[in-house]
Amino acid sequence: MINKLAGQFFVLTLVLAICGCAPVTIETIPTGAALYSADGKTQLGTTPYNTSVFVSDKNFTVSKEHYFDDKVRLSFNSPRQIDLKLRAVPVMISSTPNAQIYPSGSETAIGSTPRKMPIYDKDRTYTLKAPDYFDQEITVGSKSPDPIVVKLERRPIVTISATPAGVDVYENNKLIGSAPVKEEILTRRTFELRKPGYFTKVGTLTGAPPYELNVTLRPFPTITITATPSDAQVYRAGKLIGKAPTQLAVGEETVLEVRADRFYPQNVTLTSGSTAQVNVTLKAMPYVKIGSEPTGAEVFIDGKSAGVVPIEKLIEKNTVIEVRKAGFISKTATLTGADKQVTVTLEAVPAPVVPAPVVPAPEVLATPAVQAPEATATNSIPATTSATGSNRNLWIAGFAIIAIALAIFFVIKRKKQ
């Protein structure tokens, strides 16, 4: 009897158990997730996973690499299929150097590395950008490693800097810009660094590291130009650069002209190897001051009036001058430029010799009362003849004196010349 009752109870319990369970299928997106016991220690299977729920609830832990773990609680009233969408774990993206992250095809950055990027249903492509580096694309998806480490490739961009400031960078005589400048060197390129007052420096770059080029320019040596006379002026290419003494930075052959009033100009050539001080002595121009005694005479050169003394003339070769003044004998002189001052003394024109007046002999008056005899009249004719001969002798003597005076005058004049 007892055995019969026990058998009936077992059968009843089995029927109740079979009737009281509910089959449930656990599915995950993505599939293939591991299904663990509630404590997460014992793996029961992988999704899709089929189980049955009896009177009591069942708890599971769903786990999949790159996804967050999820909990599943089943009860008798649970749906016959559970679809569980797993949440992907964000992937860490890091790069060397740090870069901006751009969605593919976008010009707007969403952040910079290092950064955790979410995982979506479909793989997504991003572009990493960093100054002086090539852009690099990466794909982030459920199968991406964590972290994603990217080493960007350096572009051959060279920064050219220079000391002092204000150095200009040229290539093929074309100005690129003022240092510092950045240039991408894909082929061999040659640059010139120039600055006024400094020696030009040339550099050739190939794009190979290092990517920094720092150049120090050497200043031109400063040369001091002094001159005699001290008020001389210094010109370069026809333009005044200063009054002596003046300083000039010389880096290449430079021709200067030194000028001063009443001095011959002189050229001087300077190089970077010239002495620190260069003195230029100008040669004075041969000006001669012409005077006369007495003053007020007029000077003639080649028959043309040069002015009234005192005057000053530039005498660069032997020059014959003639000095004239009314009432004085004109005089010539030869100037060589050696004398600074010449005074010409004039002689007055001698007064002409005036012959003494001829006094006629007194005439013999006839006495009316006495009639001269014929013999007396005859004797008076020789007397008249004698008076006329005396006057002629006086004239001859006067002309002789004048001739002698003129001869003496010309002899004296020639000797003085």
Side-chain angles (χ1 to χ4, degrees), residues 89-144:
V89 176
V91 175
M92 173 65 74
I93 301 176
S94 63
S95 65
T96 304
N98 292 340
Q100 295 290 313
I101 304 174
Y102 292 81
S104 182
S106 174
E107 297 295 330
T108 304
I110 60 174
S112 60
T113 60
R115 180 184 176 88
K116 283 185 173 292
M117 297 296 294
I119 303 298
Y120 298 95
D121 295 339
K122 294 183 179 180
D123 294 350
R124 293 194 177 186
T125 302
Y126 301 92
T127 303
L128 303 184
K129 297 183 179 183
D132 300 346
Y133 287 81
F134 289 107
D135 296 348
Q136 187 162 332
E137 288 189 347
I138 60 170
T139 300
V140 179
S142 59
K143 296 182 180 181
S144 298

Side-chain angles (χ1 to χ4, degrees), residues 206-346:
T206 61
Y211 298 109
E212 295 284 339
L213 176 63
N214 194 343
V215 177
T216 300
L217 299 187
R218 184 166 61 92
F220 289 164
T222 300
I223 299 176
T224 302
I225 300 98
T226 60
T228 302
S230 59
D231 62 346
Q233 293 180 321
V234 183
Y235 292 79
R236 178 172 58 185
K239 295 182 179 180
L240 177 66
I241 63 173
K243 182 179 179 181
T246 187
Q247 291 185 329
L248 184 67
V250 180
E252 57 186 2
E253 185 173 285
T254 303
V255 178
L256 303 178
E257 184 182 22
V258 183
R259 307 176 191 172
D261 188 32
R262 303 172 69 86
F263 286 82
Y264 288 108
Q266 183 174 328
N267 289 344
V268 58
T269 301
L270 303 179
T271 66
S272 59
S274 299
T275 57
Q277 180 170 323
V278 175
N279 183 65
V280 180
T281 300
L282 300 183
K283 181 182 178 182
M285 301 177 77
Y287 277 91
V288 178
K289 188 174 182 180
I290 305 171
S292 67
E293 182 61 39
T295 61
E298 188 173 6
V299 178
F300 289 82
I301 299 177
D302 295 331
K304 296 180 181 179
S305 175
V308 177
V309 298
I311 59 172
E312 198 171 33
K313 299 296 292 183
L314 176 61
I315 305 300
E316 296 179 299
K317 61 180 181 178
N318 290 353
T319 302
V320 176
I321 64 171
E322 183 181 6
V323 182
R324 305 176 188 174
K325 183 176 175 65
F328 291 83
I329 300 173
S330 298
K331 192 172 185 179
T332 60
T334 300
L335 306 182
T336 63
D339 296 324
K340 301 299 180 182
Q341 183 170 347
V342 172
T343 301
V344 178
T345 302
L346 301 179

